[in-house]
Amino acid sequence: MATERTFSIIKPDATRRNITGAVTAMLEKAGLRVVASRRIRMTREQAEGFYAVHRERPFFSDLVSFMTSGPVVVQVLEGEDAVALNRKVMGATNPKDAEEGTIRRAFAESIEANSVHGSDSLDNARIEIDFFFSADEIVG
Ligand code: GDP
């Protein structure tokens, strides 16, 4: 295992319910370290660019509307095997399928409003981190 960095978003359903601390605590408890964090309101352009891979999916327009509906917290997480570890602690996309002890099982409202985003590969982690952060904003 190697030390990796991955990208996380605490989504608008979680900021609305004021549970960014509770979500972050679960990330930290799992062994991930927050090495960059910023609360932002995503523009439509940013959300469309970030989710460009989903452009053809039927839920794309709803997803962009949801992600711009309120503030989000964008984060860089660091740790051993961080990409896979973060996916594990997030849980399945649909909270109905998410395992006990995962963030989505604990907090997600629906398959769309599922509280967190996490990179699905090391390559995508690099792309997504670069999308929101410059090197000098990440302090490990
Ligand atoms: P993730 O990697 O687990 O976040 O899942 P995906 O990459 O497949 O989907 C990206 C995001 O799109 C999810 O986290 C949800 O917020 C949303 N999403 C996925 N599937 C659906 C769906 O069937 N309907 C709606 N409305 N949103 C979805």
Side-chain angles (χ1 to χ4, degrees):
M1 285 198 300
T3 300
E4 294 175 352
R5 284 178 176 171
T6 190
F7 178 73
S8 167
I9 305 176
I10 302 178
K11 294 185 178 183
D13 65 286
T15 59
R16 176 171 46 77
R17 287 175 287 154
N18 201 25
I19 55 170
T20 61
V23 170
T24 302
M26 286 183 77
L27 297 171
E28 291 179 342
K29 199 170 170 208
L32 294 158
R33 182 174 290 267
V34 180
V35 295
S37 183
R38 191 187 325 123
R39 185 175 172 108
I40 61 168
R41 180 76 180 252
M42 257 196 228
T43 64
R44 175 156 284 272
E45 229 171 42
Q46 272 178 317
E48 285 175 353
F50 183 76
Y51 280 117
V53 293
H54 293 312
R55 195 170 285 281
E56 304 306 324
R57 308 275 285 273
F59 57 81
F60 179 73
S61 162
D62 286 346
L63 178 59
V64 168
S65 295
F66 167 61
M67 291 301 289
T68 57
S69 68
V72 300
V73 180
V74 290
Q75 296 177 318
V76 181
L77 308 176
E78 188 176 86
E80 289 291 305
D81 225 3
V83 172
L85 180 56
N86 184 40
R87 294 293 301 188
K88 189 164 181 240
V89 69
M90 285 165 60
T93 309
N94 188 339
K96 288 184 185 141
D97 302 327
E99 281 178 35
E100 197 66 53
T102 63
I103 292 169
R104 284 168 166 171
R105 175 67 172 259
F107 298 122
E109 295 181 319
S110 67
I111 191 169
E112 177 180 86
N114 58 6
S115 305
V116 279
H117 165 87
S119 310
D120 62 3
S121 70
L122 199 50
D123 283 347
N124 282 338
R126 291 201 183 96
I127 292 167
E128 292 175 359
I129 289 169
D130 287 348
F131 195 91
F132 285 103
F133 290 100
S134 56
D136 66 350
E137 292 177 303
I138 305 167
V139 183

